[in-house]
């Protein structure tokens, strides 16, 4: 029996909630994880970056797997890996095991994310229907961030940091078990692995890993060391070699027609900027609330709620309406510029004696425009792409998102901790956090200007269907 379209979209949105829940839940627990497993102030970002590298390095291969082996197969496999790695992360007794578990979790996400997006892109016609579906998907992600803020604080406070990983296990298992009943079956024929660009996948993974490793290690090991500049140079060289391999390949990991045009290239740049400053902004806010102000994990989680609740409403309601009325280019540019303004207002609301009320105005502005920008970015990523290439298109978009996020986080952590020694007074830490916050705001606003390079599209027709009625079999 084929499930109703609304139930399919509900399952796809639920998987986005799981991924977003894990993203925010980990941020709230970072101080406790660092203390328990012996991370330094600089190295604790690897709890986030290891996941981003595993995900970002393999997303392009995951996107190809979705197109060649089937979206539902990769959806179930990705959820399985995600759940098993979450269990391993919760059981980790040292930092190395946790980082490895997070990297494997990223591999699961590298299959799950493009499968989810491809199923949405293929199930909704481009235009108002897809915009509303992406709005529902983005709202679920914002709900995950909101739940992660609160749940992370509750779990860390009362059960321990391990439970921020254990909570993913039943959620991933339930979604994997529901998939065969709710999602359309894949074609019986698969292309096999012969068409996969394995050299391209290896170069993309190694290059992005070395690049982010160099950015993450530089502040601690020194920028002139092998771990700093050496890793950066090697990573850049491998990514340059990747471009050459893709140019000569008969079946490239990255079809060049998808990145030659101005639209996809601009979208990937803006996605990378958005996620990089998002991760950096969350790091700045968490560090301000806990190490500087001394908030508990639960109190910090509650402070995140206004931002994420407003983001939910904007993604579900405002973003689809703005996209249908203004088109992708104007909506995306406005969303990015507004997000930059929100981060700036938030940074200005971080005095030594501040708290919830000084942060509230910036949280509301950031939340609203961030929700609009998120939906607009993924509407841009799937625009004009053939159904049989939606997997690799979503892989390109999410690669830019995750690698950009890891690189942006590494840079902003370096800015925030430059010249700050372990055990430094709160006032000294706050100076670094302010510098990182202003940098994040400026770069985000610059991303809004870059978005204007997208070609304007004809105004989209309104549709009378609701987000849960628009999927086709």
């Amino acid at each position: 029996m084929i499930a109703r379209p609304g139930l399919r979209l509900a399952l796809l949105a639920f998987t986005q909630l799981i991924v977003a829940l894990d993203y925010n839940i980990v941020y709230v627990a970072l101080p406790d994880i660092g203390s328990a497993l012996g991370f330094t102030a600089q190295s604790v970002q690897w709890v986030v970056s290891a996941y981003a590298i595993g995900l970002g390095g393999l997303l392009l291969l995951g996107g190809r797997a979705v197109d060649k082996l089937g979206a539902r197969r990769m959806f179930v496999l990705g959820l399985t890996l995600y759940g098993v790695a979450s269990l391993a992360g919760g059981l980790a007794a040292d930092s190395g095991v946790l980082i490895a578990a997070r990297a494997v979790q990223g591999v699961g996400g590298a299959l799950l994310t493009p499968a989810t997006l491809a199923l949405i892109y293929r199930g909704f016609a481009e235009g108002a229907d897809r915009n509303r579906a992406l709005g529902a998907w983005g709202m679920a992600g914002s709900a995950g961030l909101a739940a992660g803020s609160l749940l992370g604080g509750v779990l860390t406070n009362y059960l321990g940091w391990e439970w921020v990983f254990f909570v993913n296990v039943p959620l991933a298992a339930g979604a994997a078990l529901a998939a065969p009943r709710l999602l359309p079956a894949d074609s019986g024929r698969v292309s096999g692995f012969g068409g996969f660009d394995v050299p391209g996948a290896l170069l993309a993974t190694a290059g992005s890993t070395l690049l982010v490793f160099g950015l993450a290690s530089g502040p601690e090991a020194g920028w002139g060391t092998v771990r700093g500049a050496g890793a950066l140079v090697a990573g850049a060289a491998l990514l340059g070699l990747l471009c050459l391999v893709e140019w000569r390949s008969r079946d490239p990991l990255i079809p060049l027609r998808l990145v030659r045009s101005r639209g996809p290239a601009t979208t990937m740049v803006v996605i990378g900027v958005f996620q990089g400053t998002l991760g950096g902004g969350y790091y700045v806010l968490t560090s301000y609330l806990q190490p500087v102000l001394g908030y508990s994990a639960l109190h910090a989680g509650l402070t995140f709620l206004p931002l994420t609740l407003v983001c939910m409403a904007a993604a579900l309601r405002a973003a689809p309406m703005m996209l249908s009325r203004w088109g992708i280019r104007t909506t995306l540019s406005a969303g990015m510029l507004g997000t930059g303004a929100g981060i700036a207002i938030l940074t200005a609301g971080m005095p030594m004696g501040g708290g919830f009320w000084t942060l509230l105005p910036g949280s509301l502005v950031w939340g609203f425009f961030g929700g609009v920008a998120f939906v607009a970015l993924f509407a841009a990523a799937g625009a004009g792409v053939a159904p049989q290439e939606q997997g690799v298109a979503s892989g390109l978009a999410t690669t830019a998102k995750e690698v950009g996020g890891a690189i942006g986080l590494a840079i902003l952590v370096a800015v925030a901790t430059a010249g700050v020694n372990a055990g430094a007074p709160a006032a000294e830490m706050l100076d670094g956090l302010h510098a990182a916050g202003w940098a994040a705001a400026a770069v985000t606003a610059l991303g809004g200007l870059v978005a204007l390079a997208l070609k304007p599209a004809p105004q989209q027709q309104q549709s009378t269907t609701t987000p849960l009625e628009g999927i086709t079999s």
Side-chain angles (χ1 to χ4, degrees):
M1 179 176 169
I2 297 176
R4 288 182 299 166
L7 292 177
R8 296 186 201 172
L9 181 57
L11 175 60
L12 297 174
F14 180 67
T15 62
Q16 174 65 3
L17 184 146
I18 294 172
V19 173
L21 177 79
D22 180 69
Y23 182 85
N24 216 13
I25 215 172
V26 168
Y27 269 101
V28 173
L30 278 180
D32 286 54
I33 293 172
S35 299
L37 300 184
F39 286 99
T40 66
Q42 288 81 14
S43 66
V44 73
Q45 68 168 298
W46 279 98
V47 178
V48 177
S49 294
Y51 173 81
I53 292 168
L55 179 61
L58 291 172
L59 270 167
L60 294 173
L61 185 59
R64 270 300 199 208
V66 167
D67 290 333
K68 290 178 174 291
L69 303 180
R72 193 175 82 175
R73 293 184 184 97
M74 297 303 101
F75 183 88
V76 173
L77 179 57
L79 279 168
T80 302
L81 286 174
Y82 204 87
V84 170
S86 295
L87 179 62
L91 296 173
D94 61 67
S95 58
V97 173
L98 180 57
I99 289 173
R102 289 286 286 166
V104 174
Q105 200 176 31
V107 174
L111 300 176
L112 177 62
T113 303
T116 302
L117 279 169
L119 286 163
I120 290 176
Y121 289 149
R122 292 170 186 172
F124 284 95
E126 187 176 339
D129 283 345
R130 185 181 294 176
N131 293 341
R132 280 193 287 270
L134 287 170
W137 175 78
M139 183 275 293
S142 298
L145 291 176
S149 300
L150 181 58
L151 189 59
V154 171
L155 293 175
T156 304
N157 241 34
Y158 296 108
L159 296 176
W161 63 265
E162 297 90 345
W163 282 89
V164 305
F165 297 106
F166 289 151
V167 73
N168 289 323
V169 178
L171 299 178
L177 291 173
R181 293 181 59 86
L182 300 182
L183 298 179
D186 297 318
S187 168
R189 296 181 59 191
V190 297
S191 302
F193 290 92
F196 283 3
D197 180 13
V198 176
L202 293 174
L203 287 170
T205 303
S208 61
T209 299
L210 285 169
L211 193 63
V212 178
F213 177 80
L215 289 166
S217 302
E220 190 174 21
W223 292 107
T225 64
V226 172
R227 289 175 59 191
L232 289 173
V233 171
L238 288 178
L239 292 175
L241 183 58
L242 170 66
C243 295
L244 179 61
V245 168
E246 297 305 279
W247 181 267
R248 298 174 62 88
S249 175
R250 288 187 298 177
D251 190 7
L253 188 71
I254 309 170
L256 295 181
R257 62 184 173 277
L258 291 182
V259 294
R260 280 176 181 161
S261 62
R262 187 172 66 189
T266 301
T267 300
M268 286 189 289
V269 169
V270 179
I271 286 176
V273 168
F274 178 84
Q275 190 67 20
T277 57
L278 174 70
Y282 268 80
Y283 171 85
V284 168
L285 184 53
T286 300
S287 299
Y288 172 67
L289 292 172
Q290 293 178 272
V292 174
L293 297 185
Y295 280 22
S296 68
L298 178 58
H299 197 177
L302 288 170
T303 306
F304 275 94
L305 276 179
L307 187 158
T308 47
L309 290 174
V310 170
C311 188
M312 287 172 59
L316 183 63
R317 298 295 183 188
M321 180 189 68
M322 292 168 68
L323 283 165
S324 293
R325 185 170 299 175
W326 295 349
I328 289 173
R329 182 178 74 164
T330 302
T331 302
L332 179 55
S333 182
M336 291 292 291
L337 291 169
T339 300
I343 296 173
I345 297 168
L346 191 76
T347 302
M350 289 170 43
M352 193 62 217
F356 177 84
W357 294 109
T358 63
L359 296 170
L360 185 60
S363 296
L364 296 178
V365 175
W366 184 9
F368 178 84
F369 285 101
V372 170
F374 186 80
V375 174
L377 280 166
F378 284 94
V385 179
Q388 67 272 20
E389 291 184 332
Q390 290 289 0
V392 72
S394 61
L396 281 167
T398 43
T399 295
K401 173 177 173 287
E402 298 304 331
V403 175
I407 293 173
L409 176 63
I411 291 173
L412 291 171
V413 168
V415 171
T417 58
V420 178
N421 299 317
E428 186 178 330
M429 295 176 62
L430 186 55
D431 288 341
L433 294 176
H434 277 147
W438 292 121
V443 172
T444 306
L446 181 61
L449 299 178
V450 172
L452 293 174
L454 291 170
K455 293 180 179 179
Q459 194 172 32
Q460 295 163 347
Q461 270 192 320
Q462 297 288 342
S463 171
T464 58
T465 58
T466 67
L468 297 184
E469 293 171 344
I471 274 190
T472 56
S473 300

